[in-house]
Amino acid sequence: MPADEWPYPASHSPVRIWLAQGTQSLVLQHGADDAQAPGWALSVSKTLSSPSQVLELHERYKLHPRLLPWPSMLVWALAWALAVAALRAAWQQRAARQRAEQLLQYGQIARLNTLGELAAGMAHELNQPLTAILSNSQAARRLLDDAEPDVDAARQAMQQAAEQAKRASAVIGRLRRLVERPDTATQSQAVPLPQAVADALHLLEPELRQRQVQCQAPLPTPQLPPAQADPIALQQILHNLLLNALQAMEQVPAAERQLLIQHRPQGRHLLLTVQDNGPGIAPELRERLFTPFATTRAQGLGLGLTLSQGLAESMGGQLRLVDGGPLRGACFELQLPAMPTRAADTP
């Protein structure tokens, strides 16, 4: 370091140098007044050998905060902070993009499945054109059976019946093409329930954080076998149950909102329960809870639970409303078949 940049005068150096032999020492440079004080310092020793005697050269360099390169250290700290912030922002953006893509995928599947349930629920609406077809056909037959057949009236009745038949056929065909979905039984595979719950909660993490819901989710256990299910269908069921629970707790103060998810084995099946501390299910709604269009929300279609029950049954399981549990709200129990264990091969 040049002499004009050294923070100490030449006669007041922070370096203390001395020779030592046994218990005797000779100070070659005293250094600053605090060079011997305890603290952050750099010490170096070297043995000087000669035929006549052996000496040890000691050097102690007292470090002071003003000697550190603070501007360079600050630049490095800011650079590292910016790098860490950029990595964290990129990771959060990637997680948000993946969450949005999965929600979009589940939304598309839910839309198609909902259309299927909607078609099933609207089947009774086809009774009107079918009844009209029957009535017009019977009227045309009576007109033709009269002693003096009214051919024009019979032709008009048959024309109306044909129009109603075409209308009903077009509606059914269009809905069937829109709502066809693959057989979930052929897509069953081993799905760990804790992982499926974690994935569903990850997708709803913004909702949970915004609504300040305290969620208790199950931890992976080696004793719990995986479920035999279709991953997409299982995610759709969990998404519907969790979203219904979040919406049910809107009437509960934010500090008291709790969501409890549990699982346990039961014979050859696995049970997964989702319970909230909302107001629960009204008694008049319990009997028709899993029927289409049964809902208590003004903007709801009442098809989520019907869809979820259909998906559960297609995987060999069952979805039902049960009583009890540590929370006072609604408790839904999803039963799925456990993945069978393969017997060990005998030699």
Side-chain angles (χ1 to χ4, degrees):
M1 180 180 291
D4 55 349
E5 297 182 6
W6 187 255
Y8 295 94
S11 60
H12 200 63
S13 172
V15 181
R16 176 180 175 86
I17 303 175
W18 70 95
L19 291 173
Q21 183 182 27
T23 58
Q24 299 179 351
S25 62
L26 174 63
V27 178
L28 302 180
Q29 179 173 301
H30 289 277
D33 295 339
D34 58 350
Q36 305 180 62
W40 194 14
L42 176 64
S43 300
V44 179
S45 300
K46 183 178 181 180
T47 301
L48 304 178
S49 300
S50 63
S52 59
Q53 58 185 355
V54 178
L55 299 176
E56 291 183 356
L57 178 63
H58 298 275
E59 179 180 349
R60 179 180 174 84
Y61 180 49
K62 182 67 175 180
L63 300 178
H64 292 270
R66 59 178 175 271
L67 298 177
L68 298 177
W70 291 109
S72 301
M73 294 173 59
L74 182 60
V75 170
W76 275 103
L78 290 176
W80 276 104
L82 291 176
V84 171
L87 289 176
R88 181 180 181 185
W91 180 84
Q92 292 178 344
Q93 184 178 6
R94 178 175 177 269
R97 183 173 62 253
Q98 291 179 346
R99 183 185 296 112
E101 291 175 354
Q102 294 184 14
L103 285 176
L104 178 61
Q105 179 184 7
Y106 294 147
Q108 293 173 347
I109 296 174
R111 179 176 60 84
L112 295 177
N113 291 331
T114 301
L115 286 175
E117 299 299 331
L118 181 62
M122 293 178 61
H124 68 278
E125 298 294 338
L126 295 176
N127 289 333
Q128 181 178 358
L130 294 178
T131 303
I133 293 173
L134 180 61
S135 300
N136 289 325
S137 300
Q138 292 175 345
R141 187 184 64 181
R142 287 195 301 269
L143 291 171
L144 294 175
D145 290 341
D146 290 342
E148 297 181 359
D150 190 348
V151 179
D152 292 336
R155 184 181 295 112
Q156 183 179 2
M158 294 300 296
Q159 180 64 28
Q160 293 178 355
E163 292 177 357
Q164 294 293 333
K166 292 180 181 179
R167 176 185 176 186
S169 177
V171 170
I172 295 175
R174 184 170 61 254
L175 288 177
R176 285 193 59 182
R177 288 192 299 270
L178 289 176
V179 303
E180 284 180 352
R181 66 189 182 197
D183 185 11
T184 56
T186 61
Q187 302 182 12
S188 297
Q189 55 184 275
V191 181
L193 283 184
Q195 184 61 43
V197 172
D199 293 341
L201 291 176
H202 175 70
L203 294 178
L204 292 174
E205 181 182 357
E207 291 283 341
L208 292 169
R209 185 171 56 252
Q210 180 182 1
R211 299 172 186 265
Q212 302 179 15
V213 176
Q214 301 178 9
C215 180
Q216 299 182 26
L219 297 176
T221 55
Q223 298 80 9
L224 187 72
Q228 184 177 2
D230 175 26
I232 302 299
L234 179 57
Q235 284 295 322
Q236 186 63 51
I237 296 174
L238 292 176
H239 186 269
N240 288 338
L241 293 179
L242 294 176
L243 193 59
N244 287 345
L246 294 180
Q247 294 173 350
M249 289 186 289
E250 291 179 351
Q251 306 176 14
V252 180
E256 302 177 5
R257 296 172 182 172
Q258 297 182 23
L259 181 62
L260 179 62
I261 306 174
Q262 297 176 318
H263 61 61
R264 59 185 176 88
Q266 187 184 62
R268 298 182 179 181
H269 294 82
L270 300 176
L271 298 181
L272 188 143
T273 58
V274 178
Q275 186 177 18
D276 58 76
N277 65 337
I281 305 298
E284 63 273 10
L285 189 62
R286 297 175 70 94
E287 295 296 332
R288 53 187 183 91
L289 187 61
F290 293 98
T291 58
F293 314 113
T295 179
T296 57
R297 296 194 299 270
Q299 303 298 330
L301 290 177
L303 296 173
L305 290 177
T306 307
L307 165 64
S308 299
Q309 187 187 46
L311 292 175
E313 292 176 351
S314 66
M315 294 184 293
Q318 187 180 5
L319 178 65
R320 54 181 175 265
L321 177 69
V322 297
D323 296 325
L327 303 181
R328 67 174 184 270
C331 182
F332 288 92
E333 183 180 78
L334 175 62
Q335 182 187 55
L336 291 173
M339 198 69 182
T341 57
R342 296 182 179 178
D345 297 335
T346 57

